[in-house]
Amino acid sequence: MTNDFKRHRRLRQTPSIRSMIRETHLNTEDFIFPLFVIEGAEDNNDVRSMPGVYQVAFDNLKEEIDEIVGLGLTSVIVFGVPEEKDPYGKEAYHDHGIVQKSIRFIKEYAPELTVVADTCLCQYTDHGHCGVIKNGVIENDTSLELLAKTAVTQAKAGADIIAPSNMMDGFVAYIRKALDEEGFLNTPIMSYAVKYASAFYGPFRDAAHSAPQFGDRKAYQMDPANRLEAKREVESDLEEGADFLIVKPALSYLDIMRETRNNSNVPIVAYNVSGEYSMIKAAAKEGWVDEKAIVQEKLLSMKRAGADLIVTYHAKDMARWLKES
């Protein structure tokens, strides 16, 4: 018998050895749970394209937060579904908008929860785009004014972290300046630095009522074919003061996540988007995949690729599974 080869299987022999040398781990603190809060509803609404996800009526927010805290989750990102929309998304930056109301309630009721505020206009505009439209074109600099107003009202409401997702040029610099001028020097920005124009967003638009009413978002979100463009976006956002960097979507862009991790030293956030979630839910319903195993493998791949945190609709399920184990 020859012994001139490596015996890597020695370290795979038993569950305890495999656990001992495991390089990547998942914890409830890793997850940020997306929370959709709807105004003017008596009951929660099922999101048909996202089994297990709901638009939570504001009056039911207490029960939702009780469940989140009870599961050991420590962070949420809040999206609002307003009653009214208009060309300028005024409900996004109203002091009593649905996101601002929700943030105030959460921080009063469960101050230990870290509350991230999604900062965008698309859910609030009647055209569904992430900025102001003039002659059929999304106006970059005009949109920045409104996004900065939105961020300030969210910070005033008590948001721990501002997460601008609009992909306007200069949004980090503009929001950082506005926050600082209002005294929020210590409020970090979790930038959607790398956000691709992806087909994986479909179910989210169902949940947030944010589908564009004409055209698409390819003029401001990134081309899925591009890698070097992501590096330029990351460099700009870091120069402008981003404290976290989000890569979105996560699963089809693990290469981008790894490069972002290798080239920056701030926390990296993977956004495990709605389409990635819904595909697994649909396959699990048919019995084609082991849901628990495949979700854990998927989320591990994101951490292995360099993510420190993961925004995921699987957060509640993962918290339950981690408790069981």
Side-chain angles (χ1 to χ4, degrees):
M1 179 182 292
T2 178
N3 285 312
D4 58 351
F5 56 84
K6 306 289 185 183
R7 294 192 179 273
H8 300 290
R9 289 182 56 193
R10 289 172 181 157
L11 300 183
R12 302 174 192 153
Q13 294 302 299
T14 66
S16 61
I17 292 176
R18 291 193 295 273
S19 178
M20 180 187 296
I21 66 165
R22 187 161 293 139
E23 301 170 31
T24 308
H25 299 269
L26 295 170
N27 303 289
T28 53
E29 293 86 356
D30 299 332
F31 308 130
I32 302 171
F33 181 65
L35 189 57
F36 299 95
V37 187
I38 188 166
E39 195 155 28
E42 293 182 3
D43 299 314
N44 297 347
N45 297 329
D46 291 340
V47 179
R48 184 174 174 275
S49 58
M50 299 178 69
V53 174
Y54 306 91
Q55 294 174 333
V56 179
F58 180 79
D59 289 345
N60 295 335
L61 199 49
K62 177 181 179 295
E63 291 78 7
E64 180 71 13
I65 297 304
D66 284 340
E67 181 184 16
I68 289 168
V69 172
L71 287 169
L73 297 172
T74 58
S75 305
V76 295
I77 182 167
V78 181
F79 299 90
V81 184
E83 285 188 285
E84 297 180 5
K85 302 189 180 198
D86 65 82
Y88 299 96
K90 293 176 183 175
E91 289 298 309
Y93 43 89
H94 196 294
D95 284 337
H96 299 288
I98 185 60
V99 165
Q100 288 80 357
K101 284 169 54 179
S102 300
I103 293 168
R104 287 191 194 95
F105 174 82
I106 296 169
K107 292 309 296 182
E108 289 172 7
Y109 182 67
E112 71 275 19
L113 265 185
T114 297
V115 177
V116 184
D118 179 78
T119 307
C120 199
L121 302 178
C122 59
Q123 296 107 282
Y124 309 92
T125 56
D126 53 15
H127 46 73
H129 280 283
C130 302
V132 177
I133 293 177
K134 185 176 181 181
N135 298 324
V137 176
I138 288 80
E139 291 269 297
N140 193 91
D141 294 12
T142 306
S143 301
L144 292 177
E145 296 276 355
L146 302 184
L147 292 163
K149 287 176 65 175
T150 302
V152 169
T153 61
Q154 291 170 338
K156 286 180 177 178
D160 297 292
I161 299 170
I162 299 298
S165 59
N166 51 87
M167 287 300 284
M168 296 295 112
D169 289 336
F171 68 90
V172 174
Y174 223 89
I175 289 172
R176 182 73 274 158
K177 182 174 184 291
L179 290 172
D180 290 354
E181 287 177 348
E182 291 290 332
F184 296 104
L185 284 78
N186 293 321
T187 301
I189 294 175
M190 181 182 285
S191 170
Y192 285 69
V194 180
K195 184 178 181 181
Y196 285 90
S198 172
F200 284 99
Y201 300 153
F204 172 90
R205 292 170 184 172
D206 187 18
H209 294 175
S210 63
Q213 298 303 300
F214 68 90
D216 53 42
R217 295 176 178 149
K218 294 180 180 178
Y220 45 103
Q221 295 178 1
M222 293 169 50
D223 185 337
N226 293 352
R227 178 178 65 86
L228 296 179
E229 185 179 3
K231 296 179 71 173
R232 297 196 296 271
E233 290 282 1
V234 165
E235 288 169 1
S236 294
D237 284 13
L238 288 174
E239 289 172 4
E240 293 173 17
D243 301 284
F244 302 77
L245 300 171
I246 296 177
V247 177
K248 180 182 181 182
L251 193 58
S252 291
Y253 299 86
L254 295 177
D255 58 324
I256 305 300
M257 198 173 305
R258 171 44 59 188
E259 286 198 343
T260 303
R261 170 76 288 157
N262 290 347
N263 292 304
S264 56
N265 58 13
V266 300
I268 306 299
V269 184
Y271 200 129
N272 174 208
V273 300
S274 59
E276 299 165 353
Y277 171 87
S278 295
M279 288 192 301
I280 287 179
K281 284 291 184 181
K285 181 180 179 182
E286 295 295 330
W288 296 335
V289 297
D290 178 332
E291 182 177 359
K292 177 180 176 181
I294 203 168
V295 169
Q296 290 178 327
E297 184 175 344
K298 178 178 70 170
L299 299 181
L300 277 170
S301 77
M302 296 168 193
K303 286 203 72 178
R304 193 181 64 243
D308 300 287
L309 300 165
I310 305 172
V311 179
T312 179
Y313 306 96
H314 296 291
K316 288 182 179 179
D317 287 335
M318 275 302 311
R320 294 185 185 100
W321 294 330
L322 288 170
K323 280 188 174 184
E324 291 171 3
S325 62

